[in-house]
Short mmCIF file of all heavy atoms in Angstrom, two decimals:
data_model
loop_
_atom_site.label_atom_id
_atom_site.label_comp_id
_atom_site.label_asym_id
_atom_site.label_seq_id
_atom_site.Cartn_x
_atom_site.Cartn_y
_atom_site.Cartn_z
N GLN A 165 -127.68 -205.59 35.29
CA GLN A 165 -127.54 -206.19 36.55
C GLN A 165 -126.34 -205.88 37.21
O GLN A 165 -125.26 -205.88 36.64
CB GLN A 165 -127.49 -207.72 36.24
CG GLN A 165 -128.87 -208.41 36.36
CD GLN A 165 -128.61 -209.99 36.53
OE1 GLN A 165 -128.37 -210.51 37.52
NE2 GLN A 165 -128.71 -210.53 35.30
N ILE A 166 -126.43 -205.48 38.50
CA ILE A 166 -125.29 -205.10 39.31
C ILE A 166 -125.29 -206.10 40.52
O ILE A 166 -126.29 -206.14 41.22
CB ILE A 166 -125.28 -203.67 39.73
CG1 ILE A 166 -125.37 -202.71 38.52
CG2 ILE A 166 -124.03 -203.36 40.62
CD1 ILE A 166 -125.74 -201.30 38.78
N VAL A 167 -124.16 -206.80 40.80
CA VAL A 167 -124.11 -207.73 41.81
C VAL A 167 -124.40 -207.02 43.21
O VAL A 167 -123.68 -206.05 43.41
CB VAL A 167 -122.77 -208.47 41.83
CG1 VAL A 167 -122.53 -209.31 43.07
CG2 VAL A 167 -122.44 -209.28 40.47
N GLY A 168 -125.26 -207.67 43.94
CA GLY A 168 -125.54 -207.12 45.29
C GLY A 168 -126.32 -205.95 45.33
O GLY A 168 -126.66 -205.28 46.43
N GLN A 169 -126.95 -205.54 44.19
CA GLN A 169 -127.78 -204.38 44.18
C GLN A 169 -129.09 -204.77 43.50
O GLN A 169 -129.23 -205.60 42.64
CB GLN A 169 -127.18 -203.42 43.22
CG GLN A 169 -127.24 -202.00 43.74
CD GLN A 169 -126.32 -201.00 42.96
OE1 GLN A 169 -125.11 -201.07 43.13
NE2 GLN A 169 -126.85 -200.24 42.00
N GLU A 170 -130.27 -204.33 44.16
CA GLU A 170 -131.54 -204.89 43.67
C GLU A 170 -131.91 -204.34 42.22
O GLU A 170 -132.27 -205.04 41.42
CB GLU A 170 -132.59 -204.28 44.62
CG GLU A 170 -133.83 -205.25 44.65
CD GLU A 170 -134.75 -204.79 45.75
OE1 GLU A 170 -134.38 -204.50 46.83
OE2 GLU A 170 -135.94 -204.50 45.40
N LYS A 171 -131.47 -203.07 42.02
CA LYS A 171 -131.86 -202.39 40.82
C LYS A 171 -130.59 -201.97 40.03
O LYS A 171 -129.78 -201.42 40.68
CB LYS A 171 -132.80 -201.21 41.07
CG LYS A 171 -134.28 -201.46 41.28
CD LYS A 171 -135.01 -200.17 41.21
CE LYS A 171 -136.45 -200.32 41.27
NZ LYS A 171 -137.05 -198.97 41.40
N PRO A 172 -130.71 -202.01 38.69
CA PRO A 172 -129.70 -201.34 37.92
C PRO A 172 -129.85 -199.87 37.75
O PRO A 172 -130.85 -199.30 38.22
CB PRO A 172 -129.75 -202.15 36.64
CG PRO A 172 -131.23 -202.33 36.43
CD PRO A 172 -131.75 -202.58 37.80
N HIS A 173 -129.00 -199.27 37.06
CA HIS A 173 -129.15 -197.85 36.76
C HIS A 173 -129.90 -197.69 35.31
O HIS A 173 -131.09 -198.13 35.22
CB HIS A 173 -127.83 -197.13 36.72
CG HIS A 173 -127.18 -197.19 38.13
ND1 HIS A 173 -127.64 -196.62 39.19
CD2 HIS A 173 -126.01 -197.89 38.41
CE1 HIS A 173 -126.82 -196.79 40.27
NE2 HIS A 173 -125.88 -197.60 39.79
N LEU A 174 -129.14 -197.43 34.24
CA LEU A 174 -129.83 -197.30 33.03
C LEU A 174 -130.29 -198.65 32.43
O LEU A 174 -131.28 -198.78 31.76
CB LEU A 174 -128.99 -196.62 31.96
CG LEU A 174 -128.48 -195.13 32.43
CD1 LEU A 174 -127.44 -194.70 31.46
CD2 LEU A 174 -129.74 -194.22 32.33
N GLY A 175 -129.60 -199.78 32.78
CA GLY A 175 -129.89 -201.04 32.23
C GLY A 175 -130.08 -201.28 30.76
O GLY A 175 -130.91 -202.03 30.24
N LEU A 176 -129.22 -200.64 30.03
CA LEU A 176 -129.27 -200.60 28.57
C LEU A 176 -128.59 -201.85 27.95
O LEU A 176 -128.80 -202.24 26.82
CB LEU A 176 -128.81 -199.30 27.90
CG LEU A 176 -129.70 -198.00 28.19
CD1 LEU A 176 -128.94 -196.85 27.84
CD2 LEU A 176 -131.08 -198.18 27.50
N MET A 177 -127.59 -202.33 28.72
CA MET A 177 -126.85 -203.51 28.14
C MET A 177 -127.07 -204.76 28.99
O MET A 177 -127.22 -204.72 30.16
CB MET A 177 -125.24 -203.14 28.26
CG MET A 177 -124.76 -202.33 27.12
SD MET A 177 -122.90 -202.27 27.09
CE MET A 177 -122.53 -203.74 26.14
N ASP A 178 -127.14 -205.86 28.25
CA ASP A 178 -127.45 -207.14 28.93
C ASP A 178 -126.20 -207.76 29.49
O ASP A 178 -125.67 -208.82 29.00
CB ASP A 178 -127.97 -207.98 27.75
CG ASP A 178 -128.71 -209.24 28.49
OD1 ASP A 178 -128.85 -209.34 29.67
OD2 ASP A 178 -129.16 -210.10 27.60
N ILE A 179 -125.65 -207.10 30.47
CA ILE A 179 -124.53 -207.63 31.10
C ILE A 179 -124.67 -207.54 32.69
O ILE A 179 -125.37 -206.74 33.16
CB ILE A 179 -123.16 -206.68 30.71
CG1 ILE A 179 -123.41 -205.26 31.14
CG2 ILE A 179 -122.90 -206.95 29.28
CD1 ILE A 179 -122.20 -204.37 30.84
N LYS A 180 -123.98 -208.45 33.37
CA LYS A 180 -124.07 -208.47 34.86
C LYS A 180 -122.64 -208.05 35.33
O LYS A 180 -121.65 -208.64 34.93
CB LYS A 180 -124.34 -209.83 35.25
CG LYS A 180 -124.35 -210.03 36.79
CD LYS A 180 -124.69 -211.52 37.14
CE LYS A 180 -124.78 -211.76 38.59
NZ LYS A 180 -125.06 -213.23 38.86
N VAL A 181 -122.51 -206.98 36.13
CA VAL A 181 -121.25 -206.40 36.52
C VAL A 181 -121.08 -206.52 38.04
O VAL A 181 -122.07 -206.36 38.78
CB VAL A 181 -120.99 -204.98 36.13
CG1 VAL A 181 -121.23 -204.88 34.57
CG2 VAL A 181 -121.94 -203.96 36.80
N GLU A 182 -119.85 -206.67 38.42
CA GLU A 182 -119.48 -206.57 39.84
C GLU A 182 -118.61 -205.35 40.02
O GLU A 182 -117.59 -205.15 39.34
CB GLU A 182 -118.74 -207.78 40.24
CG GLU A 182 -118.36 -207.75 41.73
CD GLU A 182 -117.97 -209.02 42.34
OE1 GLU A 182 -117.58 -209.99 41.55
OE2 GLU A 182 -117.87 -209.11 43.49
N ARG A 183 -118.97 -204.53 41.00
CA ARG A 183 -118.12 -203.28 41.19
C ARG A 183 -116.85 -203.63 41.87
O ARG A 183 -116.85 -204.61 42.65
CB ARG A 183 -118.98 -202.25 41.94
CG ARG A 183 -120.19 -201.76 41.31
CD ARG A 183 -121.04 -200.95 42.17
NE ARG A 183 -120.22 -199.61 42.51
CZ ARG A 183 -120.51 -198.79 43.49
NH1 ARG A 183 -121.52 -199.13 44.39
NH2 ARG A 183 -119.79 -197.78 43.66
N ASN A 184 -115.83 -202.79 41.75
CA ASN A 184 -114.62 -202.95 42.50
C ASN A 184 -114.11 -204.44 42.57
O ASN A 184 -113.66 -204.84 43.58
CB ASN A 184 -114.75 -202.38 43.89
CG ASN A 184 -115.35 -200.92 43.83
OD1 ASN A 184 -114.89 -200.18 43.15
ND2 ASN A 184 -116.30 -200.64 44.74
N ALA A 185 -114.13 -204.97 41.37
CA ALA A 185 -113.99 -206.50 41.42
C ALA A 185 -112.54 -207.01 41.42
O ALA A 185 -112.37 -208.17 41.61
CB ALA A 185 -114.68 -207.12 40.17
N PHE A 186 -111.58 -206.15 41.30
CA PHE A 186 -110.19 -206.56 41.24
C PHE A 186 -109.55 -206.51 42.65
O PHE A 186 -108.37 -206.82 42.68
CB PHE A 186 -109.49 -205.78 40.25
CG PHE A 186 -109.84 -206.21 38.86
CD1 PHE A 186 -110.79 -205.43 38.19
CD2 PHE A 186 -109.36 -207.38 38.25
CE1 PHE A 186 -111.27 -205.84 36.90
CE2 PHE A 186 -109.82 -207.74 36.94
CZ PHE A 186 -110.69 -206.94 36.32
N GLY A 187 -110.33 -206.14 43.74
CA GLY A 187 -109.71 -206.28 45.03
C GLY A 187 -109.05 -205.11 45.50
O GLY A 187 -108.56 -204.22 44.69
N ARG A 188 -108.85 -204.88 46.80
CA ARG A 188 -108.27 -203.82 47.33
C ARG A 188 -106.84 -203.65 47.03
O ARG A 188 -106.32 -202.49 46.91
CB ARG A 188 -108.52 -203.76 48.81
CG ARG A 188 -109.90 -203.29 49.24
CD ARG A 188 -109.99 -203.22 50.68
NE ARG A 188 -111.48 -202.94 51.09
CZ ARG A 188 -111.89 -201.67 51.06
NH1 ARG A 188 -111.14 -200.65 50.79
NH2 ARG A 188 -113.18 -201.48 51.27
N GLN A 189 -106.09 -204.72 47.08
CA GLN A 189 -104.67 -204.67 46.92
C GLN A 189 -104.34 -204.13 45.48
O GLN A 189 -103.29 -203.49 45.25
CB GLN A 189 -104.00 -205.98 46.96
CG GLN A 189 -104.34 -206.95 48.12
CD GLN A 189 -105.61 -207.68 47.77
OE1 GLN A 189 -106.65 -207.17 47.49
NE2 GLN A 189 -105.52 -208.95 47.82
N ARG A 190 -105.27 -204.25 44.62
CA ARG A 190 -105.06 -203.91 43.23
C ARG A 190 -106.05 -202.80 42.87
O ARG A 190 -106.78 -202.96 41.80
CB ARG A 190 -105.13 -205.15 42.34
CG ARG A 190 -104.33 -206.32 42.67
CD ARG A 190 -104.09 -207.27 41.65
NE ARG A 190 -103.24 -206.67 40.61
CZ ARG A 190 -103.23 -207.12 39.33
NH1 ARG A 190 -103.91 -208.11 39.02
NH2 ARG A 190 -102.48 -206.56 38.42
N GLU A 191 -106.05 -201.77 43.66
CA GLU A 191 -107.03 -200.72 43.31
C GLU A 191 -106.79 -200.10 41.96
O GLU A 191 -107.82 -199.90 41.21
CB GLU A 191 -106.66 -199.56 44.31
CG GLU A 191 -107.11 -199.86 45.73
CD GLU A 191 -108.23 -198.80 46.05
OE1 GLU A 191 -107.84 -197.64 45.87
OE2 GLU A 191 -109.33 -199.18 46.49
N SER A 192 -105.56 -199.98 41.54
CA SER A 192 -105.34 -199.59 40.23
C SER A 192 -104.06 -200.31 39.60
O SER A 192 -103.19 -200.64 40.37
CB SER A 192 -105.25 -198.08 40.05
OG SER A 192 -104.16 -197.61 40.78
N PHE A 193 -104.15 -200.63 38.37
CA PHE A 193 -103.04 -201.32 37.68
C PHE A 193 -103.21 -201.18 36.18
O PHE A 193 -104.31 -200.74 35.71
CB PHE A 193 -102.98 -202.79 38.08
CG PHE A 193 -104.32 -203.49 37.82
CD1 PHE A 193 -104.35 -204.16 36.48
CD2 PHE A 193 -105.40 -203.52 38.53
CE1 PHE A 193 -105.58 -204.88 36.06
CE2 PHE A 193 -106.47 -204.23 38.26
CZ PHE A 193 -106.70 -205.01 37.07
N GLU A 194 -102.08 -201.46 35.48
CA GLU A 194 -102.17 -201.40 34.06
C GLU A 194 -101.93 -202.79 33.50
O GLU A 194 -101.17 -203.59 34.09
CB GLU A 194 -101.01 -200.48 33.55
CG GLU A 194 -101.40 -198.98 33.76
CD GLU A 194 -100.40 -198.11 33.09
OE1 GLU A 194 -99.79 -198.36 32.11
OE2 GLU A 194 -100.21 -196.96 33.76
N ALA A 195 -102.44 -203.09 32.36
CA ALA A 195 -102.34 -204.42 31.83
C ALA A 195 -102.40 -204.22 30.25
O ALA A 195 -103.24 -203.44 29.78
CB ALA A 195 -103.32 -205.40 32.26
N GLU A 196 -101.71 -205.06 29.54
CA GLU A 196 -101.72 -205.20 28.13
C GLU A 196 -102.81 -206.13 27.71
O GLU A 196 -102.77 -207.25 28.10
CB GLU A 196 -100.38 -205.46 27.52
CG GLU A 196 -100.35 -205.25 26.09
CD GLU A 196 -98.96 -205.53 25.38
OE1 GLU A 196 -98.11 -204.72 25.57
OE2 GLU A 196 -98.82 -206.56 24.76
N LEU A 197 -103.79 -205.62 26.86
CA LEU A 197 -104.82 -206.35 26.57
C LEU A 197 -104.90 -206.60 24.96
O LEU A 197 -104.64 -205.71 24.23
CB LEU A 197 -106.22 -205.76 26.96
CG LEU A 197 -106.55 -205.42 28.41
CD1 LEU A 197 -107.91 -204.73 28.47
CD2 LEU A 197 -106.47 -206.74 29.16
N ALA A 198 -105.63 -207.67 24.63
CA ALA A 198 -106.00 -207.90 23.22
C ALA A 198 -107.49 -207.53 23.17
O ALA A 198 -108.19 -208.14 23.96
CB ALA A 198 -105.82 -209.34 22.77
N ILE A 199 -107.80 -206.54 22.36
CA ILE A 199 -109.25 -206.11 22.22
C ILE A 199 -109.65 -206.38 20.81
O ILE A 199 -109.00 -205.92 19.84
CB ILE A 199 -109.33 -204.60 22.54
CG1 ILE A 199 -108.75 -204.27 23.80
CG2 ILE A 199 -110.90 -204.25 22.46
CD1 ILE A 199 -108.81 -202.71 24.17
N LYS A 200 -110.57 -207.36 20.73
CA LYS A 200 -111.04 -207.78 19.37
C LYS A 200 -111.44 -206.57 18.44
O LYS A 200 -112.26 -205.76 18.82
CB LYS A 200 -112.32 -208.61 19.56
CG LYS A 200 -112.52 -209.56 18.51
CD LYS A 200 -113.67 -210.65 18.98
CE LYS A 200 -114.45 -211.19 17.83
NZ LYS A 200 -115.58 -211.89 18.17
N GLY A 201 -110.91 -206.60 17.34
CA GLY A 201 -111.14 -205.47 16.24
C GLY A 201 -110.45 -204.21 16.60
O GLY A 201 -110.76 -203.21 15.91
N VAL A 202 -109.73 -204.16 17.61
CA VAL A 202 -109.17 -202.78 18.02
C VAL A 202 -107.64 -202.91 18.02
O VAL A 202 -106.99 -202.09 17.39
CB VAL A 202 -109.61 -202.31 19.41
CG1 VAL A 202 -108.98 -201.07 19.90
CG2 VAL A 202 -111.09 -202.22 19.42
N ALA A 203 -107.10 -203.72 18.87
CA ALA A 203 -105.60 -204.00 18.96
C ALA A 203 -105.28 -205.20 19.68
O ALA A 203 -106.08 -205.66 20.52
CB ALA A 203 -105.09 -202.63 19.75
N ASP A 204 -104.05 -205.75 19.53
CA ASP A 204 -103.69 -206.79 20.45
C ASP A 204 -102.59 -206.46 21.50
O ASP A 204 -102.07 -207.37 22.14
CB ASP A 204 -103.29 -208.04 19.64
CG ASP A 204 -102.40 -207.79 18.47
OD1 ASP A 204 -101.62 -206.77 18.52
OD2 ASP A 204 -102.35 -208.53 17.51
N ASP A 205 -102.29 -205.18 21.56
CA ASP A 205 -101.38 -204.68 22.54
C ASP A 205 -101.86 -203.38 23.16
O ASP A 205 -101.14 -202.38 23.15
CB ASP A 205 -100.07 -204.46 21.78
CG ASP A 205 -100.24 -203.41 20.69
OD1 ASP A 205 -101.38 -203.09 20.29
OD2 ASP A 205 -99.20 -203.03 20.02
N PHE A 206 -103.08 -203.43 23.75
CA PHE A 206 -103.66 -202.15 24.25
C PHE A 206 -103.28 -201.99 25.74
O PHE A 206 -103.52 -202.89 26.56
CB PHE A 206 -105.15 -202.19 24.04
CG PHE A 206 -105.84 -200.87 24.27
CD1 PHE A 206 -106.02 -199.88 23.30
CD2 PHE A 206 -106.17 -200.64 25.69
CE1 PHE A 206 -106.59 -198.63 23.56
CE2 PHE A 206 -106.88 -199.34 25.86
CZ PHE A 206 -107.09 -198.41 24.81
N GLU A 207 -102.65 -201.00 26.02
CA GLU A 207 -102.30 -200.68 27.44
C GLU A 207 -103.38 -200.13 28.22
O GLU A 207 -103.84 -198.89 28.05
CB GLU A 207 -101.11 -199.70 27.47
CG GLU A 207 -100.22 -199.82 28.77
CD GLU A 207 -99.63 -201.17 29.06
OE1 GLU A 207 -99.07 -201.73 28.15
OE2 GLU A 207 -99.72 -201.51 30.28
N ALA A 208 -104.12 -201.00 29.03
CA ALA A 208 -105.35 -200.53 29.78
C ALA A 208 -105.07 -200.18 31.16
O ALA A 208 -104.39 -200.83 31.93
CB ALA A 208 -106.36 -201.70 29.70
N VAL A 209 -105.64 -199.08 31.55
CA VAL A 209 -105.58 -198.65 32.85
C VAL A 209 -106.86 -198.85 33.67
O VAL A 209 -107.96 -198.45 33.33
CB VAL A 209 -105.34 -197.06 32.94
CG1 VAL A 209 -105.23 -196.47 34.37
CG2 VAL A 209 -104.10 -196.61 32.06
#
Side-chain angles (χ1 to χ4, degrees):
Q165 263 192 86
I166 303 169
V167 173
Q169 224 167 282
E170 206 177 308
K171 276 190 173 177
H173 300 295
L174 297 169
L176 291 168
M177 276 189 89
D178 194 7
I179 57 176
K180 181 177 176 184
V181 306
E182 179 167 12
R183 296 177 65 199
N184 306 314
F186 291 95
R188 283 185 181 276
Q189 314 87 301
R190 306 200 68 201
E191 283 246 307
S192 64
F193 58 96
E194 288 184 27
E196 193 178 283
L197 298 180
I199 308 176
K200 203 170 154 191
V202 178
D204 46 23
D205 56 352
F206 192 90
E207 202 56 45
V209 180

